[in-house]
Amino acid sequence: MAYKMVAERDNETYRFERESRLVIVAKARVWASEGWQVVITDEHGKVYAPAEFEALLAA
């Protein structure tokens, strides 16, 4: 079960895929704190914005 993260800023887009929820949320928080627009998509296709990262960890 893989989690995907997409980070976008200006004309740049980076995509990451990790098996660990904890690792992908930690990475997403760092990128978001640096001004990137970040979303995480879980294995069911549900998309999480930064305000919802805690809910993803609790799942």
Side-chain angles (χ1 to χ4, degrees), residues 18-29:
R18 298 288 184 269
E19 292 294 322
S20 169
R21 242 186 331 216
L22 181 62
V23 171
I24 204 73
V25 169
K27 181 180 272 306
R29 284 180 174 162

Side-chain angles (χ1 to χ4, degrees), residues 1-42:
M1 122 178 58
Y3 296 90
K4 297 175 184 174
M5 180 191 108
V6 177
E8 297 178 323
R9 182 172 67 180
D10 301 324
N11 292 328
E12 296 179 89
T13 301
Y14 291 92
R15 300 175 195 284
F16 300 93
E17 188 170 321
R18 298 288 184 269
E19 292 294 322
S20 169
R21 242 186 331 216
L22 181 62
V23 171
I24 204 73
V25 169
K27 181 180 272 306
R29 284 180 174 162
V30 169
W31 284 69
S33 74
E34 293 178 357
W36 292 81
Q37 298 296 316
V38 180
V39 295
I40 296 173
T41 305
D42 69 11

Side-chain angles (χ1 to χ4, degrees), residues 40-53:
I40 296 173
T41 305
D42 69 11
E43 69 274 11
H44 303 292
K46 181 168 174 23
V47 177
Y48 296 84
E52 302 169 303
F53 290 169

